[in-house]
Amino acid sequence: LPSAVLLKDMKLMDVKLGQLGSWLAMRDFTPGGIMGAIRRGHSRYYNKYINVRKGGLGGLSMVLAGYIVLSYMWSYSHIKHDRRRKYH
């Protein structure tokens, strides 16, 4: 039973490379649309990794890894500047 799914209802992983431009053109890039996408992503993440019956460290370790990567990116210019400094 193949059902035809509209391009605007497809998930990003199901979109072919040739359809990517038109799929992106159908997205809602208004502040409300972006906040809705963030809210849906947070809800999906929370329900998959945090709000589970038998929880593990997977969800929390991903948050920690994301924080480490972001903090490294924020302080990269300072780290790069210190790397070339001579201490003698």
Side-chain angles (χ1 to χ4, degrees):
L1 295 165
S3 61
V5 178
L6 295 174
L7 185 60
K8 69 175 187 167
D9 296 331
M10 286 181 140
K11 295 180 181 176
L12 177 60
M13 296 301 290
D14 297 333
V15 175
K16 304 258 189 284
L17 194 56
Q19 301 170 327
L20 187 61
S22 54
W23 182 83
L24 281 172
M26 292 182 194
R27 299 294 100 195
D28 184 13
F29 288 110
T30 61
I34 292 171
M35 284 305 296
I38 291 171
R39 199 173 295 122
R40 284 190 307 274
H42 175 266
S43 168
R44 188 176 301 136
Y45 172 82
Y46 182 81
N47 287 329
K48 186 173 183 180
Y49 293 107
I50 307 297
N51 189 22
V52 291
R53 195 172 290 200
K54 290 167 78 173
L57 295 177
L60 295 175
S61 63
M62 284 197 303
V63 169
L64 181 63
Y67 171 73
I68 290 170
V69 168
L70 281 175
S71 65
Y72 181 77
M73 286 172 27
W74 287 331
S75 63
Y76 179 74
S77 62
H78 182 71
I79 293 170
K80 189 172 95 172
H81 180 71
D82 285 343
R83 184 175 53 186
R84 300 186 189 276
R85 190 177 292 161
K86 293 189 176 184
Y87 292 101
H88 55 71

